[in-house]
Amino acid sequence: MNHALAHGARTPRLAFAGRRSRSLCSHSFSCFLFSASSASSAVKRLHTESNPRAAREQSPVAKRPAKKTPPTPAAPRRFVVGVSGASGAWYAQRLLAILLEQGHEVHLVVSDYGKRLLFDESGIKTIDLESMCPGLYKSLSATQRADATRRLVLHPNKDVGAVIASGSFLHDGMVVIPCSSSSLGAIAIGSGSNLLTRAAMVTLKERRPLIICHREMPLNLIDIRNMETLALAGATICSPNPGFYLLPKSIDDIIDFTVGKVLDLLKVEHDLKTRWEHHDAE
Ligand SMILES: Cc1cc2nc3c(=O)[nH]c(=O)nc-3n(C[C@H](O)[C@H](O)[C@H](O)COP(=O)(O)O)c2cc1C
């Protein structure tokens, strides 16, 4: 499925792009077809709440280049990513870096507590390509940064009139990563009172992939029932829940395990270390 290309989609006027961006492979840029001619004039930044821990360093996970050896880029596709106020900012950063690196278009919506988490866990005050994906950003030329910036489209969570709130806006799937219990519940009851939950509802009604990376522990019965409701409605519950059979050696490996699963669900190729290979029993 390639809705964006099939329908000659354009970068929406209501959305605004992050200030800068990057992508690894020049080939992916040369074949990128989304128009974003008005994006630079609509550039805005989102500001997180002020916080005394502002000086915190970016995570080592985010500083990594998106991939060591990127697979050949597929045709560009369009995804929606929601970041809510559950722990796990690094998952979202890693996912964004890989999607953008491969030349895809990403529509990002961050809840108020999602902004706080980005700040608390990654020191991000202003959400843009450079802050969200610093490793990727550094690896790109100026031209590639400009192109990737156009492909990272940031939508205010309060704007339920943004394009991703409409089923007429074609995309290839939405991931809520990380997803709080609060957002899980709001999506499960069909609340569209903010853009993140509205976009998720729309993704379900349009029968597109909705991947919910819920993070909480332990789970109460309400969370479990909300997961059941969403699973029955067509969502995939993909909680960050690392396997250790690949013998992770770092936090990077643990992050990649979950992000690789999400990419598999989106049918995005990747070379993250997530696959079990047969070992003979001793
Ligand atoms: C530092 C911090 C960490 C949090 N971690 C989680 C979490 O892992 N899971 C969760 O469900 N809520 C977590 N919360 C609570 C949510 O942020 C809170 O319920 C919020 O209302 C969620 O709103 P949102 O879904 O619109 O982002 C955390 C809050 C803070 C401040």
Side-chain angles (χ1 to χ4, degrees), residues 16 39-40 49 52 59 106 136 144 166 176 193 206 210 219 254 265 273:
F16 55 92
S40 59
E49 298 164 40
S59 78
V106 179
L136 178 62
Q144 289 171 328
S166 171
V176 186
S193 59
E206 299 295 335
L210 175 65
L219 301 176
I254 292 171
L265 291 166
K273 195 179 162 194

Side-chain angles (χ1 to χ4, degrees), residues 162-282:
V163 286
I164 58 173
S166 171
S168 64
F169 182 76
L170 302 176
H171 64 77
D172 296 294
M174 176 171 180
V175 186
V176 186
I177 181 167
C179 182
S180 70
S181 290
S182 173
S183 285
L184 176 82
I187 298 166
I189 63 164
S191 166
S193 59
N194 64 47
L195 183 61
L196 190 155
T197 55
R198 169 69 191 165
M201 286 170 52
V202 168
T203 301
L204 283 179
K205 86 178 173 69
E206 299 295 335
R207 300 288 194 265
R208 296 176 190 140
L210 175 65
I211 298 159
I212 302 286
C213 299
H214 174 254
R215 203 228 71 92
E216 188 54 279
M217 187 177 72
L219 301 176
N220 63 36
L221 185 59
I222 297 166
D223 291 333
I224 292 166
R225 286 187 170 149
N226 285 334
M227 286 185 194
E228 179 191 38
T229 299
L230 286 178
L232 289 172
T236 300
I237 308 299
C238 182
S239 298
N241 188 352
F244 288 87
Y245 48 82
L246 298 179
L247 307 179
K249 295 182 178 51
S250 64
I251 294 175
D252 289 2
D253 291 344
I254 292 171
I255 298 282
D256 282 0
F257 187 88
T258 289
V259 172
K261 284 278 181 195
V262 170
L263 292 167
D264 286 347
L265 291 166
L266 293 175
K267 299 187 172 23
V268 171
E269 285 183 45
H270 65 85
D271 59 2
L272 305 183
K273 195 179 162 194
T274 59
R275 317 240 177 258
W276 170 252
E277 290 165 12
H278 177 72
H279 294 87
D280 289 330
E282 298 197 3

Side-chain angles (χ1 to χ4, degrees), residues 60-80:
V61 171
K63 282 177 177 169
R64 283 184 292 161
K67 291 185 191 124
K68 290 171 200 139
T69 14
T72 306
R77 295 159 73 205
R78 175 189 275 166
F79 299 102
V80 177

Side-chain angles (χ1 to χ4, degrees), residues 16 46-49 80-86 89 92-93 96 106-119 124-128 131-132 152-159 164 174-178 183 194-197 199:
F16 55 92
L46 281 187
H47 295 274
T48 55
E49 298 164 40
V80 177
V81 174
V83 175
S84 70
Q93 291 179 260
L96 284 182
V106 179
H107 289 257
L108 176 65
V109 55
V110 183
S111 72
D112 287 348
Y113 273 90
K115 291 179 199 168
R116 173 163 173 175
L117 260 292
L118 288 174
F119 179 77
I124 294 172
K125 292 187 203 167
T126 301
I127 300 172
D128 59 19
S131 64
M132 292 296 285
L152 178 59
V153 184
L154 185 57
H155 300 275
N157 194 33
K158 63 183 177 203
D159 183 10
I164 58 173
M174 176 171 180
V175 186
V176 186
I177 181 167
S183 285
N194 64 47
L195 183 61
L196 190 155
T197 55

Side-chain angles (χ1 to χ4, degrees), residues 12-107:
R13 273 194 224 147
L14 286 178
F16 55 92
R19 228 167 44 115
R20 292 171 223 157
S21 62
R22 58 189 110 145
S23 155
L24 265 183
C25 179
S26 58
H27 172 70
S28 67
F29 290 94
S30 63
C31 65
F32 180 68
L33 299 179
F34 297 115
S35 168
S37 57
S38 62
S40 59
S41 62
V43 163
K44 290 182 185 176
R45 286 179 153 197
L46 281 187
H47 295 274
T48 55
E49 298 164 40
S50 78
N51 187 303
R53 286 190 276 174
R56 180 170 291 188
E57 279 263 301
Q58 266 281 11
S59 78
V61 171
K63 282 177 177 169
R64 283 184 292 161
K67 291 185 191 124
K68 290 171 200 139
T69 14
T72 306
R77 295 159 73 205
R78 175 189 275 166
F79 299 102
V80 177
V81 174
V83 175
S84 70
S87 186
W90 296 357
Y91 294 116
Q93 291 179 260
R94 183 74 167 143
L95 178 66
L96 284 182
I98 292 173
L99 292 177
L100 292 167
E101 173 195 40
Q102 292 197 19
H104 301 300
E105 182 176 288
V106 179
H107 289 257

